Amino acid sequence: MEHTYDSLFIGGDWVAPSSAATITVASATTEEPIGRVPEAVSADVDAAVAAARSAFDDPTGWATWEPGRRAEAMERLADMLGKRGEQFAQLVSRENGMPIVTSRRSEAVIGAAVLRYYAALARQTGVEESRPAVAGNGTTVVRRTPVGVVAAIVPWNFPQTLTMFKLGPALAAGCTIVLKPARETALDAFLLAEAVREAGLPPGVVNVVPADREASGYLVGHPGVDKVAFTGSTATGRAIAEQCGRLLRPVTLELGGKSAAIVLDDADLEPNLDAFFRATLNNNGQTCLIGTRVLAPRSRYGEVVARCPTARPSCRVRARTGSTARRTNRLGRGRSTCRRMPPPVPTRPTRRRTTDQMPEPAHSDAGGPRPPVPTVRKGRRCRADRWV
C-alpha cells in the first residue's frame, strides 16, 4: 500500500500502538486499499490524553505561553501545511472521492488560512480585560484562560478543513488536543501529524488517534478530557451531548440538517443553474451547509426536475481510476450518508443504504446502474466511461 503507518502520533512522537488492530483506508474511486494506520484502543486513548494533560499542566508549557509565542508556532504549522498543500488535496480526493478542483480549493489551503486567522486573533485579543462592575462600584476583571484538554472528533467529508476549525481556536487559546479523525480519512490526519512535528509544536499539544466507535466513546467520557468538539451525524451528536451532560462537560456540536433550496413560482431557473449546483451538489452533496432537498411549486415540478443540476448534459461523472483527479470533473465518486439525494456514484454499502431508505413513491430521475469498478493494468490507463 502507498501510505502505511505503523505508529500513532502521541506526545510529539511516533509510538507503537497497544494492539495489532489496524484501519485500512480504501480509495473512494476504485475501492482498492491505498493505506493503513493503527487503530487506537482504550489504552492508546489513555496515552494520548495523558500526553495532552501533561503538556497542558506543564508550568512553563503551551498553556502558559504568551499569545504571540503561540501564534508564531501556529504560523509555523501553517507553513508546514502549505508546503504539503498538494499532498493534502490529492490524498483527501482519493480517500473520500472529493473532486480535485474542490480539494485544491479547500483541503489544500483552508487549514493554513484558519491557523493564520486564529494566530492573528490571539495576538489581537487581550488575556485580561477590566470592565465596570454591574453594581456600579468597583471593577470586574475578565480573564481568558484555556479550558484544558480538548477531544476533537471530525468527519470525513472535509477532513482537514473541519480539523482546523477545531484546532485553530483551541491552539490559539492555549488548549491541547486529542484528534480523533474519521476512519475513512485517517491518512490525511497522519500527514497533519508529520506537519505538527516538523513545525516544532511542543510534545503532547496535538495527538492523533484514529479509533472505532467504542474507543471514540471512551475518549468522549475520559476523565482527563475537559471539552469535546464534534462534527458529524445528529444521532452521534445526541449521544455525545447526553454523555457530556451527565459529566457537566462543555461540548460543541456541529450536526447534520435538512436545509432546503426553495424555488418560488416566479423564479428564473436558467441564469441560476450554476449557483443551484453549488448550493446542492458541492463535493458530491457532502457539505454541511448545502441544501439537501428542493422545494418547488406543484405547477413547476416537472420543470424543476428537468433542470436539476444532475440532469444537465454538462454534469458528467467518470467511473474510472483517478476520476476525482480530473480538473474538469465537478462530481466525483464519493462516500454518501445522504438520505434523499445521493452523490452520483456512491460506494457499494452506502448506495445500498441509500436505496433501501428511499421512500415510496420516490424514484431516481437522473443516473443509472452503478458502473463497474475498472480493472487497472500496470503502466496502462483505463478508458473513461461517461454517464450522467
Side-chain angles (χ1 to χ4, degrees):
M1 278 180 273
E2 301 174 44
H3 309 275
T4 301
Y5 293 88
D6 298 320
S7 304
L8 296 167
F9 188 70
I10 297 174
D13 205 354
W14 298 102
V15 301
S18 299
S19 78
T22 60
I23 297 171
T24 298
V25 179
S27 164
T29 302
T30 67
E31 298 184 351
E32 294 295 323
I34 59 172
R36 184 179 63 242
V37 301
E39 181 178 75
V41 296
S42 57
D44 301 309
V45 172
D46 286 336
V49 173
R53 173 57 58 193
S54 177
F56 183 80
D57 291 343
D58 184 346
T60 61
W62 182 258
T64 68
W65 286 12
E66 290 294 322
R69 186 181 176 190
R70 286 199 297 269
E72 290 175 1
M74 293 171 65
E75 288 166 346
R76 288 198 305 272
L77 178 55
D79 290 339
M80 296 304 104
L81 296 182
K83 187 170 72 171
R84 294 167 171 82
E86 182 62 18
Q87 287 179 265
F88 278 116
Q90 294 287 346
L91 187 55
V92 170
S93 184
R94 296 185 67 191
E95 288 176 306
N96 70 5
M98 179 182 292
I100 191 64
V101 65
T102 305
S103 190
R104 284 176 175 155
R105 292 172 180 170
S106 59
E107 304 305 273
V109 296
I110 291 181
V114 169
L115 283 174
R116 295 188 192 282
Y117 171 85
Y118 281 104
L121 198 61
R123 287 192 175 97
Q124 298 165 6
T125 305
V127 174
E128 188 172 291
E129 178 183 349
S130 296
R131 302 173 183 173
V134 175
N137 298 320
T139 301
T140 297
V141 177
V142 178
R143 184 173 292 111
R144 298 179 177 87
T145 59
V147 69
V149 175
V150 176
I153 304 174
V154 297
W156 51 259
N157 59 334
F158 283 89
Q160 280 301 303
T161 296
L162 294 172
T163 291
M164 289 307 154
F165 283 174
K166 292 171 174 43
L167 261 64
L171 290 174
C175 298
T176 56
I177 298 104
V178 177
L179 172 65
K180 205 293 292 184
R183 295 166 61 90
E184 296 86 351
T185 51
L187 295 176
D188 64 90
F190 278 69
L191 185 59
L192 168 61
E194 293 177 7
V196 168
R197 191 176 188 189
E198 187 175 351
L201 266 65
V205 171
V206 176
N207 308 271
V208 180
V209 285
D212 63 9
R213 182 172 298 184
E214 181 179 351
S216 300
Y218 181 71
L219 172 63
V220 169
H222 199 286
V225 169
D226 298 298
K227 176 181 171 62
V228 176
F230 170 80
T231 298
S233 72
T234 301
T236 302
R238 184 178 290 113
I240 290 174
E242 291 174 354
Q243 189 170 8
C244 289
R246 289 193 299 271
L247 296 169
L248 296 180
R249 177 167 297 167
V251 59
T252 302
L253 304 172
E254 181 192 0
L255 309 179
K258 293 299 295 179
S259 305
I262 302 175
V263 179
L264 302 181
D265 295 85
D266 60 348
D268 188 358
L269 294 178
E270 191 62 36
N272 296 298
L273 287 180
D274 282 339
F276 192 29
F277 180 96
R278 292 191 299 271
T280 56
L281 286 174
N282 181 47
N283 190 28
N284 303 327
Q286 300 304 317
T287 307
C288 61
L289 51 80
I290 64 173
T292 54
R293 54 190 173 137
V294 180
L295 302 181
R298 190 178 302 276
S299 60
R300 300 191 65 182
Y301 177 81
E303 178 190 4
V304 171
V305 170
R307 292 174 179 267
C308 181
T310 54
R312 300 182 67 192
S314 62
C315 186
R316 299 282 183 178
V317 181
R318 298 175 186 268
R320 60 177 287 272
T321 301
S323 62
T324 58
R326 294 183 65 91
R327 288 179 296 173
T328 56
N329 281 9
R330 301 179 71 184
L331 292 173
R333 181 175 185 169
R335 307 179 187 277
S336 172
T337 56
C338 180
R339 303 277 193 225
R340 300 284 180 178
M341 186 172 65
V345 195
T347 54
R348 184 177 293 107
T350 54
R351 185 179 181 89
R352 186 184 309 116
R353 182 166 65 247
T354 301
T355 54
D356 287 349
Q357 294 176 352
M358 185 179 289
E360 293 294 340
H363 63 279
S364 175
D365 279 291
R370 185 181 187 278
V373 175
T375 56
V376 184
R377 295 181 182 178
K378 188 175 182 180
R380 300 187 64 182
R381 281 190 156 191
C382 292
R383 178 182 175 185
D385 295 321
R386 296 187 180 188
W387 75 299
V388 178

